[in-house]
Structures are given as structure tokens and as C-alpha cells.
């Protein structure tokens, strides 16, 4: 049984990515192994682009690199239905810098609700209704921060909002586990507040893919 409070979690966002490097192939394995002429250093945080839709625009950590390959830690591509054999080539970009988010007052996740198509058949005398899953609502992470224009994150979030390019969000939990999200950022630089409360800014991150989690070393 596990009980983990958000208290003590530290957050950061990526502020720069290295140039894209080709991945010439990815194996159907757990963990997946990518072929590359210049593998990244172990424990690099990578943004992946892949012909596999289920792997495209996701985040993974590199491991066990050798001269021409490296593992995508925690990535399971054994299903050839989801990951057709020999079809995963693409590229990766390593995160090269981060900015820490401090004075975080609250973090709220929303969305991700499963939607359904409901139907019934005319010839069914029971008039039983059936449903099939369709899509899941987009997910967002809303981070409230106490207003401080002198903080490094304030300028970094303004820049991210202007660029409108996805960033990697990192959350390190109190038990040492780490979550990585890939998301479009939006930031309101205008502080808001009420009487007897700190002024706040709000950053909203619209998730592109499911987050990936790594246990503490």
C-alpha cells in the first residue's frame, strides 16, 4: 500500500533542447532499443519523434548506451499491433537545460475522461443499450505560483508562452520517483489575487501524451 502526498514535490520545465538526432530503428522489446549513430548519454531526458504513433511526441530516459544504440528506459514496444515491426524510426532531442518552478501553491490535473459511443439494435427486444469507448478528453496541468517577476521561471514561462512550442515538465515526488510530461505551455504573466492573499500567476500545460514515471534510483 502506498500513500504519497504532493507536499514536497518539486517541478521544473525544460528551457532548451539539443538538435534532433536520427534514430534509424527501434526494436520491439521491453525496454525498446533505439539505433543511432550518436547515442545520447545515459540518463538523458529525450523527446521522441517516431513513425509509431504511440511513441511519437513522448518522453523517455536513455540508458545503457553503446557505440550505436541505447535503451529507451521504461518504454515497452513488444506489441507489434501497437508498434508494427521495423516501423519506429524517427529522431530524438535531449533536454539540455531546466528552470525550477518554486513558490508553487497548487497543482491541479483535469481532463482525461473516457468518452463513449452509445447505441442499440432495433431487432433487440430487450432494447439493451451498448457503448464503445471513443476518445479521452484532453488533459491539462494547472500550476499556480506566487507572483515574483524576479524569479527565473517568470521570464522562462513568458518565453515558453510566446514560442508556443511543447516543453517537458518534470515532477520529482517526495519519495524520489520522477514524472515527465510533454505539453504545450500557456502562461498568464498578469498577477491576480484577492484581499489578504498572495498575488499569483497561473501556468497551464496541455498534455500531448501520457506521462512516464521512473522510480527513485
Amino acid at each position: 500500500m502506498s500513500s504519497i502526498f504532493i507536499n514536497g514535490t518539486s517541478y521544473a520545465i525544460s528551457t532548451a533542447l539539443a538538435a534532433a538526432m536520427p534514430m534509424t530503428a527501434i526494436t520491439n522489446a521491453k525496454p525498446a532499443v533505439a539505433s543511432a549513430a550518436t547515442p545520447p548519454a545515459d540518463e538523458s531526458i529525450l523527446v521522441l519523434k517516431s513513425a509509431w504513433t504511440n511513441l511519437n511526441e513522448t518522453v523517455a530516459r536513455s540508458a545503457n548506451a553503446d557505440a550505436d544504440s541505447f535503451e529507451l528506459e521504461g518504454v515497452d514496444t513488444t506489441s507489434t499491433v501497437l508498434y508494427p515491426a521495423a516501423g519506429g524510426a524517427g529522431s530524438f532531442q535531449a533536454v539540455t537545460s531546466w528552470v525550477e518552478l518554486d513558490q508553487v501553491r497548487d497543482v491541479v490535473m483535469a481532463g482525461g475522461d473516457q468518452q463513449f459511443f452509445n447505441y442499440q439494435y432495433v431487432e433487440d427486444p430487450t432494447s439493451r443499450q451498448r457503448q464503445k469507448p471513443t476518445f479521452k478528453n484532453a488533459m491539462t496541468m494547472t500550476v499556480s505560483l506566487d507572483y515574483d517577476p524576479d524569479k527565473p521561471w517568470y521570464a522562462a514561462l513568458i518565453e515558453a508562452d510566446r514560442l508556443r512550442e511543447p516543453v517537458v515538465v518534470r515532477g520529482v515526488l517526495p519519495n524520489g520517483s520522477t514524472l515527465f510530461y510533454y505539453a504545450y505551455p500557456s502562461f498568464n504573466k498578469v498577477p491576480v489575487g484577492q484581499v489578504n492573499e498572495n498575488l499569483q500567476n497561473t501556468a497551464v500545460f496541455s498534455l500531448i501524451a501520457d506521462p512516464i514515471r521512473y522510480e527513485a534510483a
Side-chain angles (χ1 to χ4, degrees), residues 39-63:
D42 287 354
E43 298 189 357
S44 296
I45 304 305
L46 309 176
V47 174
L48 306 176
K49 298 294 177 68
S50 171
W52 283 334
T53 302
N54 286 287
L55 192 61
N56 190 45
E57 295 190 310
T58 60
V59 177
R61 189 166 68 187
S62 61

Side-chain angles (χ1 to χ4, degrees), residues 13 101 106-110 138-145 157 160-161 164-167 169 181-189 201-207:
I13 64 165
L101 304 180
D106 200 12
V107 178
V108 177
M109 301 294 299
M139 290 191 69
T140 59
M141 173 192 290
T142 301
V143 180
S144 301
L145 309 106
L157 286 169
D161 180 80
R164 296 193 178 278
E165 293 293 333
V167 298
V169 181
Y181 311 81
Y182 194 46
Y184 282 103
S186 177
F187 180 63
N188 187 352
K189 66 181 180 180
N201 294 110
T202 301
V204 179
F205 300 96
S206 302
L207 274 59

Side-chain angles (χ1 to χ4, degrees), residues 160-180:
D161 180 80
R162 288 173 175 168
L163 292 174
R164 296 193 178 278
E165 293 293 333
V167 298
V168 179
V169 181
R170 181 183 68 198
V172 181
L173 303 179
N175 64 2
S177 299
T178 306
L179 290 162
F180 292 99

Side-chain angles (χ1 to χ4, degrees), residues 24-25 36-37 79 94 104 115 118 124-125 128 133 156 161 166 184 187 198:
T24 54
S79 172
V104 174
Q115 303 300 305
N118 296 306
D124 185 350
R128 179 183 295 110
D161 180 80
Y184 282 103
F187 180 63
N198 293 345

Side-chain angles (χ1 to χ4, degrees), residues 24-96:
T24 54
I26 304 177
T27 61
N28 292 102
K30 181 183 180 181
V33 177
S35 299
T38 308
D42 287 354
E43 298 189 357
S44 296
I45 304 305
L46 309 176
V47 174
L48 306 176
K49 298 294 177 68
S50 171
W52 283 334
T53 302
N54 286 287
L55 192 61
N56 190 45
E57 295 190 310
T58 60
V59 177
R61 189 166 68 187
S62 61
N64 298 320
D66 57 24
D68 57 5
S69 69
F70 61 96
E71 291 180 1
L72 299 174
E73 187 180 353
V75 175
D76 182 356
T77 58
T78 53
S79 172
T80 54
V81 175
L82 298 176
Y83 306 95
S91 64
F92 66 87
Q93 288 181 275
V95 176
T96 57

Side-chain angles (χ1 to χ4, degrees), residues 189-210:
K189 66 181 180 180
V190 179
V192 297
Q194 300 179 29
V195 174
N196 298 322
E197 292 186 6
N198 293 345
L199 291 174
Q200 289 187 331
N201 294 110
T202 301
V204 179
F205 300 96
S206 302
L207 274 59
I208 298 172
D210 290 337

